[in-house]
């Protein structure tokens, strides 16, 4: 399936980042099946498993998704869409991320597959709460299989036309889109705020001394893939 073996859970978690450049090679059916067979092991409210997935591989459909991504990009980043060279002047982390976003905006039709993630409307009290655990499983499984993937919602600009393209029934919400393929870039490590900045003890805003004594970059070095 992938090039190496399964990196193990923690190495997978610490190295799963948004990969947005793909070789055009198709994803074998058994690899796709493994991806979804892992995704659907996720928890959901009342174990309802209301998630549904549409795998888009047809060229014409992917071209339409790309058109909407371009619209979304122009709306979300009008300056960079009109002057892509301005990305080069940004600080490194932003520059690398935005270059990869701009690349996918222009090449979405070449991604071997785009997965649409749906869930039943109105059934769960926490919208998305019963869907995104499966999304995360899917992203981690993609990383473990040597695939690249990321949530990429710019084509959501397509709105009703997108729903029509994928024949999404009114009973379902579209939660996200995930382009998947064999990556041209390497996985991880990912940059995140330190634990101490986002975890409190007992009450919001109260310090956690142990977390404060840990390196800001976290423990990723223990789990290099
Ligand atoms: C709900 C959601 C929506 C996202 N939408 C987009 C998107 O429209 N375009 C995009 O390029 N990335 C999108 N992302 C990916 C995030 O930008 C990415 O996960 C984040 O920047 C961290 O990247 P990293 O894991 O490579 O560090 C989305 C992620 C989530 C969870």
């Amino acid at each position: 399936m992938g090039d190496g073996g399964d990196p193990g859970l923690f190495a997978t978690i610490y190295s799963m980042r948004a990969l947005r450049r793909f070789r055009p090679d198709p994803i074998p059916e058994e690899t796709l099946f493994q991806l979804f067979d892992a995704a659907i092991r996720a928890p959901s409210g009342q174990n309802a498993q209301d998630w549904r997935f549409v795998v888009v591989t047809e060229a014409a459909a992917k071209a339409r998704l790309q058109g909407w991504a371009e619209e979304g990009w122009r709306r979300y980043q009008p300056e960079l869409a009109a002057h892509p060279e301005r990305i080069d002047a940004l600080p490194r982390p932003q520059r690398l991320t935005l270059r990869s976003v701009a690349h996918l905006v222009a090449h979405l039709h070449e991604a071997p597959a785009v997965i649409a993630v749906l869930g039943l409307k109105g059934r769960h009290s926490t919208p998305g709460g019963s869907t995104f655990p499966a999304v995360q499983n899917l992203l981690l499984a993609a990383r473990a299989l040597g695939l690249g993937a990321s949530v990429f919602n710019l084509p959501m600009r397509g709105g009703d036309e997108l729903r029509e393209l994928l024949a999404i029934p009114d009973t379902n919400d579209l939660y996200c889109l995930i382009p998947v393929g064999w990556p041209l870039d390497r996985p991880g490590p990912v940059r995140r705020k330190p634990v101490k900045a986002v975890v409190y003890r007992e009450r919001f805003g109260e310090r956690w001394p142990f977390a404060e004594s840990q390196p800001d970059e976290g423990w990723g070095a223990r789990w290099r893939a």
Side-chain angles (χ1 to χ4, degrees):
M1 294 193 181
D3 32 19
D6 180 344
L9 179 62
F10 279 89
T12 302
I13 288 173
Y14 279 92
S15 62
M16 190 270 282
R17 68 183 186 93
L19 296 176
R20 302 186 179 90
R21 293 184 188 87
F22 308 113
R23 303 202 311 255
D25 313 49
I27 304 169
E29 293 288 290
E30 64 165 20
T31 308
L32 262 186
F33 186 86
Q34 178 63 87
L35 206 55
F36 290 109
D37 206 37
I40 64 161
R41 303 300 136 188
S44 58
Q46 300 172 315
N47 201 17
Q49 304 167 57
D50 294 319
W51 44 60
R52 296 292 183 269
F53 306 89
V54 180
V55 184
V56 181
T57 52
E58 285 174 6
K62 289 188 295 182
R64 292 197 70 195
L65 292 174
Q66 181 179 325
W68 292 318
E70 286 166 2
E71 266 179 44
W73 181 237
R74 280 195 295 270
R75 193 180 170 90
Y76 163 68
Q77 291 282 5
E79 193 193 318
L80 296 180
H83 307 279
E85 72 286 355
R86 291 191 187 163
I87 295 177
D88 298 340
L90 295 169
R92 189 169 190 273
Q94 266 174 290
R95 185 171 75 230
L96 296 184
T97 299
L98 288 170
R99 267 189 199 150
S100 84
V101 177
H103 177 92
L104 188 52
V105 166
H107 295 267
L108 186 60
H109 68 291
E110 292 165 11
V114 181
I115 296 164
V117 182
L118 321 176
L120 206 54
K121 248 183 212 168
R123 154 141 195 182
H124 298 283
S125 54
T126 47
S130 284
T131 309
F132 278 94
V135 169
Q136 181 71 358
N137 265 16
L138 191 149
L139 294 173
L140 290 171
R143 163 69 191 99
L145 291 164
L147 287 165
S150 71
V151 175
F152 187 71
N153 282 346
L154 290 172
M156 300 277 242
R157 286 291 304 160
D160 287 345
E161 285 179 61
L162 167 58
R163 295 181 65 94
E164 200 180 312
L165 176 74
L166 304 183
I168 300 172
D170 286 344
T171 49
N172 274 247
D173 278 323
L174 172 60
Y175 280 103
C176 68
L177 297 165
I178 308 177
V180 188
W182 303 109
L184 288 167
D185 299 315
R186 275 179 306 176
V190 292
R191 286 158 30 94
R192 296 293 186 263
K193 293 174 188 172
V195 170
K196 69 180 182 202
V198 297
V199 183
Y200 306 125
R201 289 304 294 259
E202 315 304 340
R203 285 183 178 74
F204 195 97
E206 290 199 9
R207 300 170 43 225
W208 180 13
F210 181 82
E212 288 179 354
S213 72
Q214 300 308 307
D216 279 0
E217 64 277 18
W219 288 0
R222 297 183 183 191
W223 301 106
R224 288 270 180 268

